[in-house]
């Protein structure tokens, strides 16, 4: 099987099985409408032919009912369309499960980009020692976030897991039962999840996937690269945002933060408890059995009874396990020692925290809270801040902020925002006390614009009773194009501050800086965001090295290329020596968690790809941009940026999104706890609009504007100047530029303008739609010319095949969604009753789910 080409393996193990199991699913009698499973393929075929013939969604739906239904009532029509939606949602799940089950067959688990391949390449190149030295410091941090791009409830996740196993075993009877169960299980949530609910959903992945896959990777490195010797590096760290990400989410309270941290602690200890019970079956030897029994009892008290008064920590547990290991090694011929080592490694990696809970808040909220704290303190006669503090120049404020210390009582504060901000810092202290310092030791400031933003947070931390050294990393997040350009000067000012510099010394001379791909793209377009972040990383690397500080970049990435997603491991492998690369840190969110890390095999494979991308960049290759290529991309980014800004400033831009897309329905889907925009205004404000619904709305339209708009215009400038050969040479010389454009090609592949071609005739938005379509055609034509390909993603046939099947599955869903949107527009312009309007709005909302999950990285 492994000898077959990858595409052949995909066709045999994914496409063929989907066709078989889908035919079974379509004949299952679990609905109240006769022959839905028979009618859906007919509707699907009519959609394909209809769009080829230039028909609009309304014409296609009307033609279907005219051809296959005898005088149906309006209710019968809408009922059948809703039933189609229900079927298609479940077809997506079925395809997900089949693709997940086939993952280790389709993907070579020992091929290029895996650790085994990296090890063998290093040995052949006589670079094994260099690889070992590199892995002593290199880390990957995957941070799970609960941004609203994933709607599967826990019950459906369980079915997907069981389907995966049943498909691997070709258990047809069980598959049939699970498909029937899938048909009867609700997919959508009647109420919004709380941040705690979101945390519980993601902890499922920690317990069932990462707990096993991360330890496997660690064990492999230890046994095969370090020859069984211990490592003083966890290699892979896990981060966690649900319950700690307060930015724009009023539902994240201090109690939620504490509850999530406790749930993380309980979950990892519960996993340890299960492992210790298994170990006791192996280690029935004198001396070892007693130690394991003692550990088991302690874990039982902490997990089953939530008992935490007994002195117990990661350090104590590791000490006791080391004692047990010594006995096994010296008295029992190291029998089963590899199983004990596996458990010891898990405790080293996951501690008592499982994943580090990051705290995040917007700098504007911080500033408001801090200003009120200063006023409150001054009114009590406190002299920490001079009376004229608010009117002092920024540099003088920073000097004061760098030396303040204290222990504020939140109850003494008058403002709710100030109270919740200070309470969140005290919660951080409590989490460190219970879960260890790694339980919560990072405070991220989003929308960071100045050094003052960082120092206000630094001061608030120091005003919360931390004695001596502050055990927290303060992490600025630079997002907009302007903020990225100013980032170097902000960090220079911080590094020049003696107190902050001393703080960094105590934090191993490391400074983490977060960069926002999502909001960067929303603000400046695809090319400018990526090039802007690249340049910011170079400038921040340079200034950090100047102060002997190791900068660590934390990338805020979404699923699709428009939000920094796409082929991320190729992106990291393409970075050159001008960018610090001792760690790779990135956010993983929404359906990207389930698609890339949803099973042990896929998680292990994708984590290894990230690890090896850093290894490739540092040990084997260094892709450095020469001056000519830098000038090219600088000019293309500037052209693209201006094109995108002009587009964004078009008077029809926001009205088009508001009236013609699904933007306003994102807030109604109940798939995430966080509001779809910042602030409480009913008016659509671009600056307050979150990147997820923004990018997701373009994705639902199958236009994917943020992933390509401006790229075509930038390329055309060189074609018109007869300089396109220079761009081709750049593409062939630079992995960075190549990866950037290949990710844009993915956005184009997932576009389908035939769906909305009817908008070209719209009186209000016809010209605006044509503007988008022209940029799409230009970008597609020139990317194909650049690569020499006839089709998009020609060099990624399996990825292209997967996208094509998913797009075929949801084509009827997209058609129904556009049909419903058109009906809503007509109803709003008439005197029709609101009952019909409500039905079609529900239809739009329900159709969002399947489209989101089918794309797997749509937002």
């Amino acid at each position: 099987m492994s000898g077959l080409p990858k595409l052949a393996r995909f066709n045999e193990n994914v496409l063929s099985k989907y066709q078989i199991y889908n035919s079974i699913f379509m004949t299952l009698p679990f609905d109240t409408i006769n022959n839905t499973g028979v009618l859906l393929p007919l509707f699907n075929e009519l959609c394909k032919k209809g769009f080829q013939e230039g028909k609009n969604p309304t014409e296609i739906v009307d033609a279907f009912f005219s051809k296959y239904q005898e005088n149906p009532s309006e209710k019968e029509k809408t009922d059948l369309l809703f039933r189609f939606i229900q079927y298609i949602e479940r077809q997506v799940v079925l395809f997900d499960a089949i693709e997940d089950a086939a993952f280790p067959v389709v993907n070579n688990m020992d091929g290029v980009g895996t650790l085994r391949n990296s090890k063998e390449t290093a040995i052949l190149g006589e670079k094994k020692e260099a690889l070992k030295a590199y892995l002593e410091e290199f880390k990957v941090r995957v941070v799970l976030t609960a941004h609203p791009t994933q709607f599967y409830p826990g019950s459906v996740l369980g079915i997907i897991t069981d389907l995966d196993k049943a498909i691997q075993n070709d258990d047809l009877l069980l598959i049939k039962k699970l498909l029937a169960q899938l048909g009867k299980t609700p997919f959508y949530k009647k109420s919004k999840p709380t941040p705690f609910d979101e945390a519980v959903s993601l902890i499922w992945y920690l317990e069932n996937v990462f707990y096993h896959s991360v330890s496997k990777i660690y064990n492999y490195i230890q046994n095969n690269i370090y020859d069984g010797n211990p490592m003083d590096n966890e290699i892979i760290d896990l981060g966690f945002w649900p319950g700690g990400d307060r930015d724009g989410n009023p539902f994240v309270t201090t109690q939620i933060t504490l509850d999530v941290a406790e749930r993380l602690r309980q979950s990892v200890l519960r996993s340890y408890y299960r492992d210790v019970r298994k170990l006791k079956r192996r280690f029935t030897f004198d001396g070892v059995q007693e130690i394991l029994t003692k550990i088991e009892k302690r874990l039982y008290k902490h997990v089953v009874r939530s008992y935490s008064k007994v002195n117990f920590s990661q350090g104590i547990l590791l000490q006791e396990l080391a004692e047990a290991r010594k006995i096994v090694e010296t008295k029992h011929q190291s029998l089963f020692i590899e199983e004990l080592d596996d458990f010891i490694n898990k405790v080293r990696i996951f501690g008592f925290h499982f994943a580090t809970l990051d705290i995040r808040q917007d700098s504007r909220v911080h500033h408001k809270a801090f200003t009120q704290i200063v006023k409150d303190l001054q009114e009590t006669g406190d002299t920490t801040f001079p009376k004229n503090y608010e009117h002092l120049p920024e540099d003088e404020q920073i000097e004061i902020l760098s030396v303040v210390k204290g222990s504020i009582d939140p109850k003494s504060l008058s403002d709710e925002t100030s109270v919740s901000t200070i309470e969140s810092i005290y919660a951080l202290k409590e989490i460190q006390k219970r879960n260890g310092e790694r339980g919560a030791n990072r405070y991220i400031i989003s929308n960071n614009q100045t050094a003052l933003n960082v120092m206000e947070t630094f001061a608030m931390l120091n005003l919360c009773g931390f004695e001596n050294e502050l055990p927290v990393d303060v992490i600025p997040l630079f997002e907009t194009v302007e903020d990225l350009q100013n980032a170097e000067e902000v960090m220079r000012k911080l590094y020049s501050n003696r107190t902050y510099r001393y703080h960094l010394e105590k934090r191993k001379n490391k400074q983490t800086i977060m960069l926002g791909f999502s909001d960067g793209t929303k603000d400046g377009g695809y090319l400018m965001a990526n090039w802007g972040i690249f340049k910011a990383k170079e400038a921040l690397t340079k200034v950090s090295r100047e102060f002997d500080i190791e900068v660590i970049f934390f990338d805020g990435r979404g699923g699709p290329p428009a939000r920094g997603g796409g082929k991320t491991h190729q992106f990291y492998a393409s970075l050159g020596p001008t960018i610090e690369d001792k760690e790779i840190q990135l956010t993983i969110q929404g359906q990207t968690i389930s698609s890339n890390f949803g099973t042990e095999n896929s998680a292990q494979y994708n984590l290894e790809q990230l690890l090896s991308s850093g290894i490739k960049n540092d040990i084997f290759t260094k892709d450095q941009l020469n001056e000519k290529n830098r000038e090219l991309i600088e000019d293309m980014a500037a052209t693209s940026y201006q094109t995108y800004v002009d587009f964004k400033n078009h008077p029809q831009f926001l009205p088009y999104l508001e009236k013609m897309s699904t933007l306003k329905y994102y807030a109604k889907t109940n798939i995430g706890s966080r509001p779809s925009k910042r602030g409480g205004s009913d008016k659509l404000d671009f600056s307050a609009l979150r990147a997820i619904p923004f990018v997701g709305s373009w994705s639902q339209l199958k236009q994917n504007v943020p992933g390509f708009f401006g790229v075509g215009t930038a390329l055309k400038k060189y074609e018109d100047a007869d300089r396109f050969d220079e761009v081709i040479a750049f593409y062939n010389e630079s992995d960075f530029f190549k990866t950037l454009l290949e990710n844009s090609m993915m956005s184009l592949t997932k576009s389908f303008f035939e769906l909305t071609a009817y908008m070209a005739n719209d009186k209000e938005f016809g010209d605006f739609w044509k503007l988008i379509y022209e940029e799409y055609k230009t970008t597609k034509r020139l990317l194909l010319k650049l690569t020499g390909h006839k089709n998009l993603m020609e060099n990624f046939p399996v990825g292209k095949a997967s996208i094509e099947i998913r797009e075929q599955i949801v084509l009827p869903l997209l058609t129904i969604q556009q049909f419903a949107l058109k009906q809503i527009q007509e109803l709003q312009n008439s005197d029709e009753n609101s009952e019909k309007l409500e039905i079609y709005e529900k239809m739009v909302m329900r159709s969002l789910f399947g489209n989101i999950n089918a794309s797997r990285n749509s937002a």
Side-chain angles (χ1 to χ4, degrees), residues 370-379 381-390 392 396-406 408 452 455-456 458-460 462-463:
F370 190 77
T371 302
Q372 189 59 47
I373 288 169
V374 172
K375 287 179 180 176
D376 286 346
L377 288 173
Q378 288 173 339
E379 284 176 10
D382 189 288
T383 57
T384 303
F385 296 94
K387 289 183 179 180
N388 65 338
Y389 171 81
E390 196 177 340
L392 292 174
E396 290 184 40
Q397 287 185 336
I398 287 174
E399 282 303 315
I400 293 167
L401 294 172
S402 66
V403 295
V404 296
K405 280 277 186 181
I408 293 176
L452 187 66
M455 293 308 294
E456 284 178 342
F458 184 71
M460 279 193 281
N462 280 312
L463 286 167

Side-chain angles (χ1 to χ4, degrees), residues 79 82 84 88 92 130 141-142 180 220 235 424 429 439 441 457 492-493 511 522 524 596 633 700 775 810 833 841 855:
D79 282 352
F82 274 115
F84 281 165
I88 295 163
V92 172
R141 181 187 289 260
V142 170
Y220 180 87
I235 303 291
S424 71
K429 284 183 70 178
N441 61 5
T457 306
R492 180 177 294 280
K493 189 171 283 191
Q511 170 69 56
K522 172 178 163 266
N596 289 357
I633 194 167
Q700 294 283 323
E775 183 67 15
V810 297
N833 62 53
E841 286 188 331
S855 295

Side-chain angles (χ1 to χ4, degrees), residues 81-145:
L81 292 177
F82 274 115
R83 192 63 63 179
F84 281 165
I85 291 170
Q86 183 187 29
Y87 264 76
I88 295 163
E89 286 172 343
R90 286 150 181 80
Q91 283 179 309
V92 172
V93 172
L94 174 60
F95 189 79
D96 282 352
I98 292 168
E99 200 165 38
D100 287 345
F103 190 93
V105 178
V106 174
N107 298 278
N108 186 350
M109 299 296 285
D110 294 321
V112 175
T114 64
L115 281 172
R116 181 171 180 175
N117 177 262
S118 296
K119 181 204 74 172
E120 290 174 354
T121 303
I123 290 171
L124 285 171
E126 298 183 351
K127 291 185 175 182
K128 187 179 177 183
E129 290 306 311
L131 177 60
K132 285 169 68 175
Y134 183 69
L135 287 172
E136 283 172 9
E137 295 185 347
F138 182 69
K139 281 187 182 183
V140 166
R141 181 187 289 260
V142 170
V143 180
L144 305 184
T145 77

Side-chain angles (χ1 to χ4, degrees), residues 151-207:
F151 84 95
Y152 290 146
S155 54
V156 175
L157 284 173
I159 295 171
I160 293 174
T161 303
D162 294 341
L163 256 178
D164 180 337
K165 292 174 183 174
I167 290 165
Q168 286 186 52
N169 297 327
D170 287 321
D171 189 339
L172 194 57
L173 182 62
L174 180 57
I175 290 168
K176 193 170 181 178
K177 286 182 177 180
L178 289 168
L179 290 175
Q181 181 188 1
L182 193 64
K184 292 176 176 291
T185 303
F187 267 47
Y188 60 93
K189 297 166 183 172
K190 293 178 181 177
S191 58
K192 273 185 174 292
T194 66
F196 185 77
D197 295 333
E198 291 173 330
V200 170
S201 294
L202 288 190
I203 288 170
W204 184 93
Y205 289 100
L206 292 178
E207 284 186 299

Side-chain angles (χ1 to χ4, degrees), residues 431-450:
I431 293 165
Q432 288 196 357
K433 184 179 174 183
R434 289 179 60 77
N435 296 15
E437 187 187 308
R438 287 169 65 203
N441 61 5
R442 290 151 53 101
Y443 205 117
I444 301 162
I445 311 140
S446 57
N447 191 49
N448 196 97
Q449 298 176 339
T450 65

